[in-house]
Amino acid sequence: MRATSVVLLSLCLAAPAAALASAPGRAIVVQLPGASGAELEALWREGALTAGGFEAFLAGGQRSLKLIPADPALPFAASVALATGAAPGANGVVGARYRPPGAAVNEIVEIGGDHPLAGTLWDVAGAADRVVGAVLWPGLDNRDDARRATWGVADTDTEHYPARPFVLARDRWVDDKYGIGPGPSAFWGLPPEVKSFSTPLNVSAAFAAPHERAELIYVLVAIDRTDDGVVNYDGLLVSSRIDPKKGYVGVAEPGEWFRIELVDPTGLRHGAPEVVWLKVEELAPDLARSVFYISASRYIKAFPSALVRKLESAGRSWPGPPDEAAMIAGEAGGYGISARTYAEMAERLAAWTVDVAVTGLDLYPTDLLLLSIPVFDPVDRRLLLVDPRQPGHRAERAERYRALRRQVWSALDRELARLLAAVDLETTTVYLVSTYANVPIHAEVDVGEVLRAAPELAAVGAPPERRWRSVAASGGLAH
């Protein structure tokens, strides 16, 4: 693993108090977990990043493109090392679990609300009565006072209904204009603002938590808005009721994302609304083939409530991470999404994190903002296809994924420029850092099997009588 950073070294290596004191006025720390400094440098020198976000750091700031990363270079451990100024062996956070420094190897507990993560940047800032904002920063999940900022969005997901991908042939669309059952019932029509010059055809989208019956059903209606005498379906009307006129939400355009704020059939939910995003990937004019995707439903888990209200009033709903399972299925030709749509989800997540940051900075006189933009881990897991030995490697696919990665980098460039434009750089120090970089994997090594085959490599004294059941190892490779 290689860490990449455009940041003053004192941020990573000094004690949190020293790092905080070294920055005049406001400090903003932007973390791009998993981003590669080598890739960033190459794209910048090629002139592929033109929005000015990265250039502000690379051309006008102090920078170091190679830092010693935390070991193990795992996302949570690396982020805590950044926030504490201490290596995992000293702060005890060596993964998603915690081992108190000096404790026996089996004295490991899951990271939970009872672990304070003492000595972090936000601890120091809070003790000095500074206002701290946090957006998706690992460790700040709002569980208790030691893991809470003044304002921000918790580093937890809020998925309720799972995602629903659709791949439909023409016979899946039906005409229900006379209702369901024997004999005609009340005729339903389209809302006045929507016209269809071919018969509107619909399909149902059921929302249900896993292993439960559908508790919410939306209707998606294919419409033809071109008055040319030809059947040419070109839009997807969304309705919260069987009768589109009474439940009209809007029309989703092919190729674009459409936000749907779900109705609450129980009347029990409060606070932020539950939102899904619809993407029409393909809509054949004759409906011979239709491909669209409805994301998992989520709500914003932000604090305090004033921030939630401000974000929701602007339609800035939590989009969640890119859907890896859907991309795997879609790229294999099944029910899922394309790699392009997957990259768009990463871009949307990056834009949303900056939306939250800019909104929070506008609402609160913030002294320290900790902003994490977690797009590279999911993008690298699915789109880092550069070694011919990797499963599924083909020249065409590798080039397509390379182009999509550059698209995500360009989106980040724009978002960084937008963030910098929203602050006064005369009184604000902005740090940009990646605590580790990802590399492609083409083979697996089972450390346990290696030691079972040659126990003398690990045994101290006589080999154990029972078979190996677990292995305690040190280093990023072993982890």
Side-chain angles (χ1 to χ4, degrees):
M1 295 289 185
R2 177 166 47 205
T4 241
S5 179
V6 244
V7 65
L8 296 177
L9 292 179
S10 61
L11 180 66
C12 288
L13 305 181
L20 201 61
S22 68
R26 172 187 286 167
I28 297 177
V29 184
V30 181
Q31 180 182 196
L32 302 178
S36 164
E39 188 175 10
L40 169 59
E41 180 85 357
L43 290 171
W44 182 57
R45 293 192 180 281
E46 288 175 20
L49 304 174
T50 59
F54 286 111
E55 185 176 9
F57 295 91
L58 293 168
Q62 295 174 282
R63 65 188 178 113
S64 171
L65 283 173
K66 293 182 180 180
L67 296 181
I68 299 173
D71 183 12
L74 296 174
F76 190 74
S79 183
V80 173
L82 173 66
T84 59
N91 65 36
V93 179
V94 295
R97 299 180 296 170
Y98 174 72
R99 179 183 61 82
V105 70
N106 61 344
E107 292 183 24
I108 298 177
V109 297
E110 295 293 329
I111 295 290
D114 56 341
H115 175 56
L117 295 179
T120 58
L121 279 169
W122 57 87
D123 281 333
V124 175
D129 293 325
R130 305 284 186 93
V131 176
V132 180
V135 181
L136 299 184
W137 192 273
L140 281 167
D141 51 19
N142 205 30
R143 293 184 187 181
D144 55 32
D145 289 342
R147 299 166 69 104
R148 181 180 295 120
T150 311
W151 64 267
V153 176
D155 178 34
T156 55
D157 201 2
T158 56
E159 179 179 326
H160 179 203
Y161 298 119
R164 284 152 302 282
F166 292 80
V167 179
L168 305 178
R170 172 61 180 81
D171 59 2
R172 292 288 303 277
W173 296 89
V174 297
D175 176 9
D176 280 343
K177 68 180 181 179
Y178 290 111
I180 301 173
S185 61
F187 181 89
W188 65 258
L190 300 177
E193 59 267 44
V194 178
K195 304 293 183 184
S196 183
F197 296 96
S198 297
T199 303
L201 301 176
N202 67 74
V203 67
S204 296
F207 292 82
H211 311 299
E212 294 180 4
R213 297 179 61 185
E215 58 186 25
L216 183 63
I217 297 177
Y218 273 64
V219 175
L220 308 176
V221 184
I223 55 176
D224 173 6
R225 295 169 290 180
T226 308
D227 187 10
D228 56 4
V230 178
V231 175
N232 180 25
Y233 291 98
D234 59 0
L236 200 61
L237 181 148
V238 181
S239 174
S240 62
R241 300 179 64 175
I242 296 297
D243 185 342
K245 183 181 293 185
K246 295 180 180 179
Y248 177 64
V249 176
V251 175
E253 301 290 345
E256 298 180 9
W257 287 95
F258 183 76
R259 178 181 180 273
I260 305 174
E261 187 174 310
L262 297 182
V263 299
D264 178 10
T266 65
L268 300 176
R269 289 198 289 270
H270 301 285
E274 203 166 331
V275 171
V276 299
W277 296 86
L278 168 66
K279 169 76 180 295
V280 182
E281 293 222 62
E282 182 180 346
L283 192 68
D286 60 355
L287 299 184
R289 176 177 166 86
S290 306
V291 181
F292 48 94
Y293 168 83
I294 300 177
S295 74
S297 67
R298 293 178 168 91
Y299 62 92
I300 293 180
K301 197 170 184 179
F303 51 93
S305 57
L307 177 61
V308 177
R309 291 193 296 271
K310 185 73 172 179
L311 292 170
E312 285 299 333
S313 66
R316 293 168 178 164
S317 303
W318 162 230
D323 191 336
E324 296 187 47
M327 183 196 149
I328 293 172
E331 287 291 283
Y335 283 60
I337 59 176
S338 66
R340 178 173 297 279
T341 293
Y342 184 80
E344 290 173 0
M345 296 179 83
E347 295 177 48
R348 193 152 48 93
L349 175 58
W352 180 82
T353 59
V354 174
D355 283 341
V356 175
V358 171
T359 302
L361 291 172
D362 184 57
L363 282 176
Y364 306 101
T366 306
D367 299 299
L368 171 65
L369 171 60
L370 301 172
L371 169 61
S372 182
I373 308 180
V375 300
F376 281 102
D377 278 338
V379 165
D380 287 349
R381 280 195 295 268
R382 300 273 68 89
L383 300 179
L384 186 61
L385 192 62
V386 296
D387 191 319
R389 293 171 294 179
Q390 287 179 262
H393 185 281
R394 295 197 305 271
E396 174 277 328
R397 177 180 288 174
E399 180 57 33
R400 181 160 50 93
Y401 286 8
R402 174 179 174 271
L404 291 173
R405 290 178 59 81
R406 294 167 70 92
Q407 178 180 311
V408 174
W409 275 103
S410 295
L412 278 168
D413 192 29
R414 293 192 301 270
E415 297 308 324
L416 286 174
R418 185 160 66 96
L419 176 66
L420 294 176
V423 300
D424 180 4
L425 294 177
E426 293 293 328
T427 58
T428 303
T429 302
V430 183
Y431 303 92
L432 181 64
V433 62
S434 173
T435 46
Y436 59 93
N438 296 311
V439 295
I441 293 177
H442 55 78
E444 295 181 355
V445 177
D446 188 326
V447 179
E449 285 299 322
V450 172
L451 295 178
R452 273 191 286 270
E456 66 277 4
L457 295 177
V460 177
E465 294 182 1
R466 62 183 177 85
R467 291 177 58 84
W468 285 85
R469 299 201 323 189
S470 62
V471 175
S474 175
L477 173 63
H479 284 272

